[in-house]
Amino acid sequence: MFKKTHDQKYIFEKLESFHQMDMTYDSGRILGSMCTKPDPIALEAFRMFTETNLGDGGLFKGTSMMEDEVISSLSRLLHSSEACGHIVTGGTEANIMAMCAAKYIFQEDNEDTPEVILPRTAHFSFKKACSMLSLKTVEVPLNDEYKIDTTALEDCITDNTMAIVAIAGSTEFGLVDDIHEISKIAHSNDVYLHVDAALGGFIIPFLNYRNKTRLNFDFKCKGVSSITLDPHKMGLAPVPAGGILFREKKYLDKLAIDAPYLTKNVQTTIVGTRTGATTAATWALINYYGMDGYADIVEGSINLTGYTYNKLRQMKNVNVIVKPELNVIAFNVDDMKVNVLKEELFKKGWRVSNTVKPYAIRLVLMPHVKREHIDEFLSDLEEIIGGS
Ligand SMILES: Cc1ncc(COP(=O)(O)O)c(C=O)c1O
């Protein structure tokens, strides 16, 4: 039972007091999140579409059309003219959808327990997927650079391999597996390859566009079957905006479920009722920023990552775990435990996260993080270490 009713003044004052307890991206203190402050254009677009439901797309034809346009723009971004998919709630749902499609394909001619080959750097959403879908995991070793050891990959493949998972922008270190090589192995063994580019999907294409990198991770690689890329990470869209793209429609169609009482009688997503607001936000961002706009945003964060990396390397007793490829840096400090350092940083108002193996402080340099925040952070770090 609800307790009792209140007037609007009370409601909004109370809501404000809840909100006051939240961290804000504007503070520059959130250094461990892959989300960021949504762009104002995206918020305006979001507000226009709050009553839409892509789960009942026949009622919202314009919104459905907009989703098709977003998917086809993302498909072209990932070097395909015909990939298809959806805007979903995030990387987790996208990864689960990919694993689910791969399982249904596998089960067409194999009744054994499906096996998924993945590195330990894979996001924990794959643990959820494997648990929900009763998949066996096979861990492929990493090389010295914390990437899939491609020389060990082929040995992991068996008759029951359902899929290989590779990562373009690992959660802990922001590193990109050698997807070109992995794709060749997947293709020659006729194994489904899913690329989790939840983070890198909205970074790498723009770095490649500006000739800052030459990282192959998308449908250009023949063996890649599906890709996760999240507008609510580096795409600047409000939460919840994930993206899943399948190379061929027949993969997405594996997820089709009859929805007899709705205006479109088939659904190919996990969730039913699904907001069109984040799709609108993503449509607005893609069409407003284009390649150059996104490349500027991405370059800003990548340059700041380089700056932070160099500064950390100059600091006594600080060990940077690996040279960053995208916008994530992990480091630890001699003579101070990571949890102690994290706690000291917390006391000074910094919200960093940590990696597990090796145990280290993890920074994600998203667009809300500016040079002045990093300078202040480094000065606090220096003070803490100095006092250790
Ligand atoms: C590489 C990668 N994949 C998937 C996810 C899950 O995304 P979400 O939290 O949007 O479900 C994350 C989240 O950080 C991630 O880093």
Side-chain angles (χ1 to χ4, degrees), residues 29-35 123-124 169-175 199 233 308 312 321 327-332 338 341-342 345 350-356 358-366 377:
R29 297 267 159 172
I30 302 181
L31 296 183
S33 172
M34 282 185 174
C35 291
H123 184 260
F124 59 81
S170 59
T171 311
E172 290 193 310
F173 308 109
L175 297 172
L199 175 68
K233 294 191 168 70
T308 313
L312 285 169
I321 306 300
N327 60 334
V328 184
I329 305 180
F331 70 93
N332 54 28
V338 171
L341 177 56
K342 198 175 165 188
L345 288 167
W350 299 105
R351 298 296 179 267
V352 298
S353 74
N354 62 273
T355 62
V356 176
Y359 196 27
I361 297 288
R362 166 182 173 265
L363 307 178
V364 188
L365 288 290
M366 294 300 286
F377 171 79

Side-chain angles (χ1 to χ4, degrees), residues 39 77 202-203 206-207 209-210 231 234-237 281-282 284-300:
D39 187 277
L77 183 74
F202 267 90
I203 299 180
F206 307 110
L207 294 178
Y209 173 70
R210 286 271 165 92
M234 207 63 175
L236 307 186
T282 308
L285 287 162
I286 289 171
N287 287 286
Y288 180 72
Y289 281 114
M291 293 303 288
D292 282 302
Y294 268 121
D296 288 344
I297 292 161
V298 164
E299 266 192 76

Side-chain angles (χ1 to χ4, degrees), residues 53-60 257-269 271-274:
N53 171 14
L54 281 168
D56 204 357
L59 296 180
F60 303 98
I257 294 284
D258 287 343
Y261 60 89
L262 298 179
T263 49
K264 273 190 183 168
N265 43 26
V266 172
Q267 277 190 0
T268 44
T269 47
V271 292
T273 300
R274 188 162 60 94

Side-chain angles (χ1 to χ4, degrees), residues 34-35 89-93 95 121-126 167-172 196-199 228 230 232-233 241-242 362:
M34 282 185 174
C35 291
T89 55
T92 300
E93 189 186 348
N95 288 338
T121 44
H123 184 260
F124 59 81
S125 49
F126 291 100
I167 309 163
S170 59
T171 311
E172 290 193 310
D196 182 359
L199 175 68
T228 291
D230 285 356
H232 73 198
K233 294 191 168 70
R362 166 182 173 265

